[in-house]
Structure formats: C-alpha cells, structure tokens
Amino acid sequence: MYLTLFWTFFKIGLFTFGGGYAMIPFIHSYTVTKYNWISEKEFMDIIAISESTPGPIAINSATYIGHKVKGIRGSFFATLGVMLPSIIIIILIASFFMQYKENIHVEYAFKGVRIGVSILIINAAVRMFRKLDKNILSYILIFIGFTLLLFDVLSVIYVIIIGALIGILTQILAKQRGEEDVS
Amino acid sequence: MFLKLLELFATFFKIGIFTFGGGYAMIPLITEEVLNKGWMSKDQLIDFIAIAESTPGAFAVNISTFIGYNQQNILGALFATVGVALPSFIIIIIIAKIFHHFSENKYVIGFLNGAKPIIVGVIFSVGLDFILSSVFGIKEINLIKNIIINWKTIFIFVFVFSLTRIKERIHPIYIVTISGILGYILFGIL
C-alpha cells in the first residue's frame, strides 16, 4: 500500500508540467476515479483546504490523501513520491546548467527568457486578481501590497501579516455589526 | 557547511509558511531572501525561475531544489526542499487529524480575505520589478532614471505579452521557449 501511494504520487509529480493547478485533474483521476482513496466531496474539501493553507497544492493534497489512506506514514510516502521526480530532474538540470551558464549563446537566449518569465509573473497576478472578491478592501490591500514592496518599505512577510491582520479585523467588525443588526 | 545547510533549511521553511496561493505567490518571498542574503543576482534568479517553470512537478519544489543545489550541491537541495515542504506537511496533518472545518473558520476566512489581495499586489510589484530589470535594465526602482531604451528587449516584451493576451491558456514552457528563441535571434544573430 505504501508503495502504491508512493508510486502513484511519483507519477503525478513526474507528468505534470507547470505544477499546482495543472496537477488537479491528474490527482483527481488517480485518487478518486482509479483507486477510490477519497470521495468526490473529500477531493473538493482538499482543494478548499489547500487554498486556505500555505504551501503548494501538490504537497498539501499528497499529505492529506496519504494520511486518509494510511496515516502519517502514508502522508510521508505520498509526499516523498510527489517531490522526488522534481528533485531528481532539477538536480540533473542544475548540474548541467551550471556548466553552460557562462556560455554566450545561452546568455543571448536567457536575455529573452527573463522577459518571458516577467510576463508569466504579471499574468499569474492577473489570474489571481480575477479570482478575488472584488470590494473596496481588496483594492486597497492590493495597492498597499504593491506600493510597500515596490519601494522596499517592508519585507514581504510583514506585508502579508499586515494584510492578514486587516482581514481578520474586518471579519470581526463585520460580524459584530451583523449581530447588532439582528438585535 | 552545516551552518549553511541549516540556513538553507530555515530560509525555505520560512518561505513555506508564508506561501499562500500556489507557486507564484512564493516568488516575492524567494526573491527577497535570495537577494538580501546575496546568494545570487536578480538575473540568475530569474533564469532559475524560468527553468523551474518549465520542468515537471510543483514549482515550489523545483525552485527550492535548484537554489539549494546551487548553494550547497545535493545536500543543499535536500535541506532547502525539505524546508519548503515541511510547513505544509505539518499543517495538513494537524488539519486532517483534528481540524476538519478549517476552511470554514471565521478567523481563517478573515486571514485569507486580507492576505490574498495583498499577495496579489506583492506579485504585481515583483512582476513589474522584473520587467523593469529585464526590459529596461533598471536594477533598482530608485535608479529609474538610468533607463535603457533597447528596441530588442521592448520588441520581445510586446510580442510575448500580446501572445499571452491573444491565447490566454498558453503553457509557461511555450512562453519560455518562444522568448528564448527570440532572445537568441535578436541578440545572438542580428
């Protein structure tokens, strides 16, 4: 069983390019359709939990499904499985890349690649923006996050903590106001 | 060397705790840590991000392995990668064991309602910073007057950006390949 968990998540890790959300259909077809390790509803729960906890969805779902099937050891083998292909492939590429990074032809290509990557990051931000609830608060927070980081006012972690605290405060205040309205 | 391995582990553990919303949300944290610690230049980091986006598996694991390997070979790769995965591993096991209604908790919802938009702003900021650096040669925002107008980099930017607007679901690996080919043609051949 541990081996099946390991091997299944190894395949998921090996065959998904682009990580994260590209993995969801793969994880679904193996763990729900093929092996019946979790139900459709549990799968949806895992996606929701992954979105509300830190860390990549691949590791979150491997840990959760592994735990469901075989406890903590199951988590360990599933997570190891999903990570191992990346670790092996990247180490191979890295040792290769380090030899060629000074190569002038590689540098020409990477002058272009750096621009492509910058665009990918902006597009990712646009996609995440579309998924947000659009209200005054989120626009203000986007602006605060953007400005504080662009001008190097605070480090990223503090910026995130400020956002989270404002979010929690707003939630508590909204709740109190809701209760006053009822009474 | 052991201290350096511990530093890699601790740095990526910290990054793992604060990565909400998948791989791209990690880029601002990694950029800050790597540049502040002087592990590599911004250009080199962007190269690594490009490769991590174009290889199989989770981006978070790829980029941590890559940076760890660059710093301290295979042991470095392992320490960084275990560091980045451990927070999620621990948190998910706690949730799976005792805290089933985690995502419906009002404090969790409040936390995310605040953290998610601010992270979007932070990612926009890093994206803009990378564009200023790769297209206009501006390495820091306060050096904006040193702008370099280069038609080659501007052409690549406009071309690839339009491409991603026309075909939105285009895979990162194509973007990396196309912009690499353009870079090679414009800088290497022309």
Side-chain angles (χ1 to χ4, degrees), chain A residues 98-160:
Chain A
M98 290 333 184
Q99 290 167 23
Y100 288 95
K101 66 174 186 210
E102 310 294 341
N103 181 297
I104 188 73
H105 298 285
V106 174
E107 175 59 24
Y108 291 142
F110 269 92
K111 275 191 174 179
V113 168
R114 284 175 207 136
I115 299 171
V117 169
S118 313
I119 294 170
L120 283 176
I121 295 173
I122 291 286
N123 286 344
V126 171
R127 269 200 312 278
M128 291 171 84
F129 170 72
R130 288 196 190 132
K131 283 204 291 180
L132 290 179
D133 297 330
K134 307 288 186 303
N135 52 46
I136 301 264
L137 181 69
S138 38
Y139 286 113
I140 294 174
L141 287 172
I142 292 172
F143 178 76
I144 293 177
F146 178 80
T147 322
L148 285 184
L149 199 72
L150 191 66
F151 297 102
D152 240 337
V153 183
L154 276 176
S155 76
V156 181
I157 288 176
Y158 292 117
V159 176
I160 295 175

Side-chain angles (χ1 to χ4, degrees), chain B:
Chain B
M1 188 187 99
F2 186 67
L3 275 181
K4 179 72 195 224
L5 288 175
L6 265 186
E7 191 191 16
L8 275 169
F9 174 82
T11 305
F12 279 92
F13 188 86
K14 190 165 84 178
I15 292 171
I17 293 178
F18 284 95
T19 302
F20 288 89
Y24 285 97
M26 210 174 160
I27 293 177
L29 292 152
I30 293 193
T31 307
E32 185 174 87
E33 291 290 336
V34 163
L35 296 185
N36 284 350
K37 295 204 160 90
W39 286 349
M40 57 186 79
S41 70
K42 193 183 278 177
D43 280 352
Q44 206 180 352
L45 175 69
I46 304 178
D47 298 349
F48 281 21
I49 294 175
I51 294 170
E53 290 288 355
S54 330
T55 39
F59 172 79
V61 177
N62 294 347
I63 191 76
S64 315
T65 306
F66 209 148
I67 295 171
Y69 184 84
N70 174 265
Q71 294 298 303
Q72 289 285 315
N73 291 317
I74 291 185
L75 275 181
L78 292 180
F79 273 75
T81 313
V82 171
V84 88
L86 208 55
S88 335
F89 189 82
I90 297 170
I91 291 169
I92 292 290
I93 284 184
I94 294 172
I95 291 176
K97 274 199 180 308
I98 51 173
F99 204 9
H100 296 286
H101 298 286
F102 181 80
S103 332
E104 291 142 43
N105 180 285
K106 72 169 182 184
Y107 295 106
V108 174
I109 294 173
F111 181 99
L112 293 168
N113 280 345
K116 281 195 168 159
I118 217 155
I119 290 170
V120 170
V122 164
I123 300 175
F124 267 119
S125 165
V126 170
L128 178 66
D129 183 67
F130 282 8
I131 284 172
L132 289 176
S133 159
S134 60
V135 182
F136 299 107
I138 299 166
K139 296 297 170 198
E140 274 178 52
I141 189 79
N142 50 355
L143 301 174
I144 200 153
K145 54 186 181 299
N146 299 347
I147 184 166
I148 301 164
I149 302 293
N150 180 330
W151 69 267
K152 291 176 179 174
T153 53
I154 294 175
F155 175 81
I156 298 175
F157 176 75
V158 172
F159 185 91
V160 177
F161 188 73
S162 322
L163 198 69
T164 62
R165 291 295 104 197
I166 296 164
K167 193 172 180 311
E168 190 141 350
R169 290 249 148 244
I170 190 164
H171 197 281
I173 198 164
Y174 295 118
I175 300 297
V176 169
T177 313
I178 292 168
S179 49
I181 293 172
L182 282 175
Y184 189 75
I185 294 173
L186 290 176
F187 292 101
I189 298 175
L190 288 186

Side-chain angles (χ1 to χ4, degrees), chain A:
Chain A
M1 194 67 223
Y2 293 127
L3 200 68
T4 318
L5 268 174
F6 174 82
W7 182 237
T8 304
F9 278 96
F10 188 89
K11 282 188 282 187
I12 293 171
L14 185 60
F15 294 116
T16 42
F17 278 78
Y21 295 96
M23 270 181 181
I24 295 177
F26 266 90
I27 300 173
H28 182 268
S29 71
Y30 276 111
T31 61
V32 181
T33 317
K34 189 169 170 200
Y35 290 115
N36 282 311
W37 283 334
I38 50 167
S39 68
E40 197 74 45
K41 181 179 177 303
E42 281 175 304
F43 185 78
M44 301 310 288
D45 286 347
I46 294 175
I47 304 295
I49 289 172
S50 287
E51 280 178 357
S52 43
T53 52
I57 198 161
I59 292 174
N60 291 338
S61 54
T63 308
Y64 195 95
I65 294 167
H67 187 270
K68 167 88 189 162
V69 179
K70 271 282 173 203
I72 290 184
R73 257 185 260 172
S75 292
F76 176 79
F77 281 102
T79 311
L80 186 69
V82 86
M83 287 166 67
L84 211 53
S86 301
I87 296 177
I88 297 169
I89 293 169
I90 290 288
I91 287 179
L92 290 175
I93 292 179
S95 54
F96 188 75
F97 181 73
M98 290 333 184
Q99 290 167 23
Y100 288 95
K101 66 174 186 210
E102 310 294 341
N103 181 297
I104 188 73
H105 298 285
V106 174
E107 175 59 24
Y108 291 142
F110 269 92
K111 275 191 174 179
V113 168
R114 284 175 207 136
I115 299 171
V117 169
S118 313
I119 294 170
L120 283 176
I121 295 173
I122 291 286
N123 286 344
V126 171
R127 269 200 312 278
M128 291 171 84
F129 170 72
R130 288 196 190 132
K131 283 204 291 180
L132 290 179
D133 297 330
K134 307 288 186 303
N135 52 46
I136 301 264
L137 181 69
S138 38
Y139 286 113
I140 294 174
L141 287 172
I142 292 172
F143 178 76
I144 293 177
F146 178 80
T147 322
L148 285 184
L149 199 72
L150 191 66
F151 297 102
D152 240 337
V153 183
L154 276 176
S155 76
V156 181
I157 288 176
Y158 292 117
V159 176
I160 295 175
I161 292 174
I162 290 175
L165 288 178
I166 295 176
I168 292 172
L169 264 174
T170 322
Q171 185 80 2
I172 294 170
L173 290 177
K175 184 120 193 180
Q176 280 177 352
R177 207 174 305 143
E179 278 159 9
E180 276 166 24
D181 286 347
V182 173
S183 59

